[in-house]
């Protein structure tokens, strides 16, 4: 296992260096000069730089693109404009905290400190999420230890090469979200899935609370973290296989607290924005969304500034973006559907007695990514699914399992050609997308 961790770390470093070289070598700002103007203004008082400083600043300039402009700006001076509530309240606040303790920050021009902090957070969080995913597979209810280790290693490798590509290196929230969401699933998977609720011990309850806290933090980073609450549907299922007694009630209460922590990750930023814009607005003129039955600044910003809504993205001009997202949508839905049939061991080996519980449990772990794919297809800006899917573990695990044993899901994965095509597509897309991203060219 230690050898696997070392190999993953080496692979991670090599891949990151390749992507950073692609970013550094990218030719220019494309059609948008926002980064150039913003960072040039930030370093206008600096007259001389060493070669390493110039190299670092050029690399940062090529990585602060698209939403990263908002992330680093909000991390530095807080939310000023209404539309900035669309960018992860938890992530920007965490970025601001890291930038305050960054060594040498006093000698760096404004905004570059937040940008460097963003690069540090993204790389560290991505590496840790790779390792958490590796450990997660060992906790899932799949048998045959040698094959499970292979699945864990390949799944972690797939996360290194994730289709999010350079977004996992730039000052974006995807890496931190992946770490928090994976850790939430990791803690949840530590609870013996086959036990009835009345048999949950104190350590199982603690793991449930930690999973809820981690999912809640993930939701402050990206709002789609709230989908992870679907995992707790498994405990609703297990309730019908449990006796009602004091320990069962305590377990149900613990699950309720865990779910409440996830919900609070969504509600806390909304409450803060409501206080600013609705209760005590600076101009005594509350915003239109304040009078809604569910006053959500996030929903308003997405709808008002980016025209996000059910089928609003279904236009002829967006067909290329749907085609771009189609492979990942198919992967998310396809792997989510076949995930409950996941089994390990040689063909013909007997099934465990609790195989039905296992299938339901894996299905509940897969539900968040299926819902994500559905909403991306019908409601979101569909192309972002290629990067936000990186925070959901099941599709990596299913693809890895199909590599290890082509007959693992029966006829569905009879050959490895589909899995190989997916991986090749991920590698090609990450490199091409990295060059386009660093040049401030779509898709983003």
């Amino acid at each position: 296992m230690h050898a696997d961790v070392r190999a993953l770390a080496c692979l991670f470093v090599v891949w990151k260096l390749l992507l950073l070289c692609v970013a550094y070598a990218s030719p220019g700002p494309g059609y948008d000069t926002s980064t150039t103007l913003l960072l040039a203004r930030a370093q206008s008082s600096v007259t001389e730089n060493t070669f390493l400083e110039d190299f670092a600043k050029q690399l940062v300039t090529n990585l602060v693109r698209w939403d990263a402009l908002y992330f680093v700006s909000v991390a530095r001076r807080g939310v000023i404009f209404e539309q900035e509530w669309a960018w992860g309240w938890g992530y920007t606040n965490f970025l601001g905290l890291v930038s305050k303790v960054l060594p040498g920050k006093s000698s760096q021009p404004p905004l570059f400190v937040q940008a460097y902090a963003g690069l540090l957070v993204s790389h560290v969080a991505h590496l840790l999420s790779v390792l958490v995913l590796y450990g997660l597979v060992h906790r899932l209810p799949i048998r045959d230890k040698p094959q499970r280790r292979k699945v864990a290693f390949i799944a972690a490798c797939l996360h290194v090469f994730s289709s999010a590509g350079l977004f996992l290196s730039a000052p974006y929230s995807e890496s931190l979200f992946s770490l928090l969401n994976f850790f939430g699933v990791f803690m949840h998977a530590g609870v013996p899935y086959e036990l009835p609720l009345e048999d949950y011990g104190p350590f199982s309850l603690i793991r449930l609370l930690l999973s809820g806290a981690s999912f809640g933090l993930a939701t402050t980073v990206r709002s789609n973290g709230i989908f992870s609450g679907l995992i707790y549907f498994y405990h609703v299922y297990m309730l019908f296989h449990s006796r009602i007694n004091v320990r069962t009630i305590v377990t149900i209460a613990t699950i309720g607290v865990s779910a409440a922590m996830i919900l609070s990750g969504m509600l806390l930023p909304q409450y803060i924005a409501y206080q600013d814009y609705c209760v005590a607005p600076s101009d005594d003129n509350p915003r239109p969304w304040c009078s809604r039955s569910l006053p959500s600044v996030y929903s308003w910003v997405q709808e008002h500034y980016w025209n996000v809504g059910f089928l609003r993205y279904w236009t002829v001009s967006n067909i290329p973006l749907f085609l771009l997202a189609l492979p990942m949508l198919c992967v998310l839905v396809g792997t989510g559907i076949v995930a409950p049939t996941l089994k390990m061991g040689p063909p013909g080996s007997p099934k465990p007695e609790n195989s039905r519980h296992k299938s339901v449990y894996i299905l509940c772990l897969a539900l968040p990514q299926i819902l994500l794919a559905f909403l991306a297809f019908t409601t979101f800006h569909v192309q972002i699914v290629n990067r936000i899917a990186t925070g959901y573990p099941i599709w990596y695990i299913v693809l890895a399992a199909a590599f290890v044993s082509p007959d693992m899901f029966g006829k569905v994965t009879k050959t490895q050609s589909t899995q190989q095509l997916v991986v090749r597509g991920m590698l090609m897309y990450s490199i091409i997308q990295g060059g386009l991203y660093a040049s401030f060219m779509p898709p983003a």
Side-chain angles (χ1 to χ4, degrees), residues 79-89 220 223 265-279 286-308:
V79 175
I80 295 179
F81 305 104
E82 184 182 56
Q83 67 267 28
E84 292 176 340
W85 283 97
W87 284 278
W89 178 87
T220 68
S223 61
M266 173 67 77
L267 295 182
L268 178 59
Q270 306 301 318
Y271 173 79
I272 295 172
Y274 186 82
Q275 294 296 313
D276 289 343
Y277 290 95
C278 305
V279 175
R287 297 292 293 150
W289 57 270
C290 295
S291 59
R292 291 184 171 182
S293 56
L294 292 175
S296 169
V297 66
Y298 182 79
S299 299
W300 166 260
V301 165
Q302 292 289 341
E303 172 189 335
H304 183 68
Y305 294 97
W306 284 278
N307 198 35
V308 170

Side-chain angles (χ1 to χ4, degrees), residues 193-243:
Y193 74 94
E194 75 280 1
L195 291 181
L197 299 187
E198 72 268 13
D199 290 339
Y200 280 27
F203 288 107
S204 293
L205 299 181
I206 291 173
R207 290 188 181 101
L208 284 174
L209 291 173
L210 289 175
S211 70
S214 190
F215 289 143
L217 291 173
T219 304
T220 68
V221 173
R222 287 203 63 91
S223 61
N224 51 285
I226 200 169
F227 300 161
S228 296
L230 296 174
I231 291 174
Y232 294 104
F233 279 171
Y234 178 73
H235 302 289
V236 176
Y237 163 79
M238 288 302 296
L239 182 61
F240 295 99
H241 299 271
S242 306
R243 297 189 305 272

Side-chain angles (χ1 to χ4, degrees), residues 74-360:
V74 174
R76 177 173 176 262
R77 42 93 170 140
V79 175
I80 295 179
F81 305 104
E82 184 182 56
Q83 67 267 28
E84 292 176 340
W85 283 97
W87 284 278
W89 178 87
Y91 176 72
T92 54
N93 278 272
F94 182 69
L95 209 61
L97 291 175
V98 173
S99 64
K100 291 178 181 178
V101 299
L102 203 64
K105 62 184 179 66
S106 59
S107 62
Q108 298 296 325
L111 285 184
F112 276 93
V113 177
Q114 284 72 30
Y116 290 139
L119 266 64
L120 176 64
V121 169
S122 290
H123 284 84
V124 172
H126 188 194
L127 177 59
L128 291 177
S129 63
V130 168
L131 301 180
V132 171
L133 179 59
Y134 177 81
L136 167 62
V137 178
H138 290 280
R139 284 192 168 185
L140 291 181
I142 48 182
R143 65 180 187 268
D144 194 310
K145 188 174 181 179
Q147 286 192 335
R148 186 164 61 240
R149 179 179 174 181
K150 293 178 182 178
V151 172
F153 182 77
I154 295 175
C157 289
L158 291 176
H159 185 49
V160 172
F161 300 130
S162 170
S163 59
L166 208 57
F167 287 98
L168 295 172
S169 300
Y172 262 77
S173 58
E174 272 68 19
S175 290
L176 185 58
F177 175 81
S178 295
L179 174 60
L180 293 170
N181 204 48
F182 285 1
F183 186 75
V185 180
F186 176 80
M187 294 309 303
H188 191 275
V191 180
Y193 74 94
E194 75 280 1
L195 291 181
L197 299 187
E198 72 268 13
D199 290 339
Y200 280 27
F203 288 107
S204 293
L205 299 181
I206 291 173
R207 290 188 181 101
L208 284 174
L209 291 173
L210 289 175
S211 70
S214 190
F215 289 143
L217 291 173
T219 304
T220 68
V221 173
R222 287 203 63 91
S223 61
N224 51 285
I226 200 169
F227 300 161
S228 296
L230 296 174
I231 291 174
Y232 294 104
F233 279 171
Y234 178 73
H235 302 289
V236 176
Y237 163 79
M238 288 302 296
L239 182 61
F240 295 99
H241 299 271
S242 306
R243 297 189 305 272
I244 302 299
N245 54 29
V246 174
R247 294 184 67 179
T248 304
I249 294 173
V250 171
T251 301
I252 294 173
T254 303
I255 296 168
V257 172
S258 300
M261 286 191 285
I262 302 174
L263 186 61
S264 67
M266 173 67 77
L267 295 182
L268 178 59
Q270 306 301 318
Y271 173 79
I272 295 172
Y274 186 82
Q275 294 296 313
D276 289 343
Y277 290 95
C278 305
V279 175
S282 58
D283 58 356
D284 295 324
N285 185 23
R287 297 292 293 150
W289 57 270
C290 295
S291 59
R292 291 184 171 182
S293 56
L294 292 175
S296 169
V297 66
Y298 182 79
S299 299
W300 166 260
V301 165
Q302 292 289 341
E303 172 189 335
H304 183 68
Y305 294 97
W306 284 278
N307 198 35
V308 170
F310 184 68
L311 302 186
R312 288 188 179 185
Y313 214 55
W314 285 33
T315 64
V316 174
S317 61
N318 286 331
I319 289 177
L321 297 177
F322 277 91
L323 294 175
L324 187 68
L326 186 61
M328 180 53 68
L329 293 173
C330 293
V331 168
L332 290 174
V333 175
T335 57
I337 291 174
V338 303
T341 66
L342 180 67
K343 58 182 182 293
M344 301 294 285
S349 59
K351 295 182 179 181
E353 295 179 359
N354 53 19
S355 60
R356 185 175 62 178
H357 291 337
K358 180 206 74 172
S359 297
V360 175

Side-chain angles (χ1 to χ4, degrees), residues 379-399:
T379 308
F380 298 168
H381 290 181
V382 68
Q383 74 277 7
I384 70 170
V385 74
N386 286 319
R387 54 184 173 88
I388 64 177
T390 192
Y392 294 85
I394 292 300
W395 67 275
Y396 298 112
I397 296 170
V398 171
L399 288 178

Side-chain angles (χ1 to χ4, degrees), residues 4-69:
D4 288 348
V5 171
R6 287 194 297 269
L8 288 171
C10 292
L11 185 66
F12 178 88
V13 171
V14 171
W15 178 245
K16 287 296 184 181
L17 288 175
L18 174 60
L19 289 181
L20 291 177
C21 287
V22 170
Y24 183 79
S26 297
Y31 68 89
D32 194 318
T33 57
S34 301
T35 301
T36 305
L37 295 175
L38 188 66
L39 296 183
R41 189 185 310 125
Q43 61 177 334
S44 59
S45 59
V46 180
T47 55
E48 294 184 3
N49 293 316
T50 65
F51 171 77
L52 289 178
E53 288 174 335
D54 284 334
F55 177 85
K57 288 176 181 176
Q58 180 59 47
L59 180 61
V60 164
T61 300
N62 286 0
L63 290 175
V64 179
R65 305 298 197 195
W66 301 103
D67 293 356
L69 282 164

